[in-house]
Amino acid sequence: MPWAWKRPTAYAAYATCVCTAAYGLMKLAQALGANALADKDPLPPDLRRRLLARDPLFVASHWILFTLAIVGIVIALATIRPWGRRFPRWILLTATWTAGIFMIVRSLGPVGYGFVGDTLVLTGVQPPPPQHAELARHLARWDLMLWSPFFLLWGLLWTATAWRFTRTTRT
């Protein structure tokens, strides 16, 4: 079947690229030394301290995440562009479905941060340690307003891209 990249259903892949690029650029900025929302990253206090102190492990992780964002953009585009036929179909399907499901699960937060975890912290059902209570509530609010919705949108876009690719490349 021809790979029609001008169909309206291909827009999910383009929107996936936009979200991936935004995340990747934020990680690049952090790798180069900018704060770029690093202080809003929902991490336990000890890891948060290391992140803000520019621990070499975190700097390296930012470079790795930036590189993965570039790979993600290529994968999303490969599902709708003719040159994407050079990639094995199973690799593109595995990558797109896995990314989408992972991000949706992260946004829901059955364990830790996400809509469920943040709500449990903010309502007091799962109170954080007293010495970090205010920081935990602050980070939970940021996660509830910014990160969880972003990861949910991004995950839904990845799954829409995967679904479209699955349907358009069936033999």
Side-chain angles (χ1 to χ4, degrees), residues 60-163:
S61 74
H62 295 318
W63 283 110
I64 291 167
L65 290 170
F66 171 68
T67 303
L68 286 174
I70 292 171
V71 170
I73 291 169
V74 170
I75 288 171
L77 288 174
T79 66
I80 56 172
R81 303 298 298 195
W83 53 263
R85 287 179 271 187
R86 296 181 190 144
F87 292 94
R89 181 177 184 268
W90 70 269
I91 289 177
L92 296 176
L93 285 172
T94 302
T96 53
W97 281 113
T98 301
I101 291 167
F102 173 78
M103 289 178 191
I104 290 170
V105 168
R106 187 273 179 230
S107 74
L108 298 177
V111 289
Y113 288 98
F115 291 118
V116 173
D118 296 333
T119 303
L120 292 175
V121 167
L122 292 173
T123 58
V125 173
Q126 184 182 13
Q131 67 271 25
H132 304 296
E134 189 52 41
L135 175 63
R137 284 192 288 278
H138 173 74
L139 294 177
R141 282 189 291 274
W142 268 98
D143 192 63
L144 198 57
M145 292 184 305
L146 176 66
W147 299 119
S148 293
F150 176 75
F151 277 100
L152 179 61
L153 172 66
W154 198 11
L156 291 172
L157 289 170
W158 272 114
T159 55
T161 299
W163 180 79

Side-chain angles (χ1 to χ4, degrees), residues 14-66:
Y14 290 120
T16 300
C17 289
V18 170
C19 287
T20 306
Y23 185 79
L25 289 173
M26 181 189 67
K27 290 304 177 183
L28 175 63
Q30 290 174 350
L32 295 173
N35 182 341
L37 296 172
D39 60 333
K40 308 299 186 236
D41 207 337
L43 290 171
D46 56 325
L47 292 178
R48 185 174 189 274
R49 230 180 341 273
R50 290 175 58 196
L51 169 71
L52 297 176
R54 298 205 30 83
D55 181 283
L57 176 68
F58 281 97
V59 174
S61 74
H62 295 318
W63 283 110
I64 291 167
L65 290 170
F66 171 68

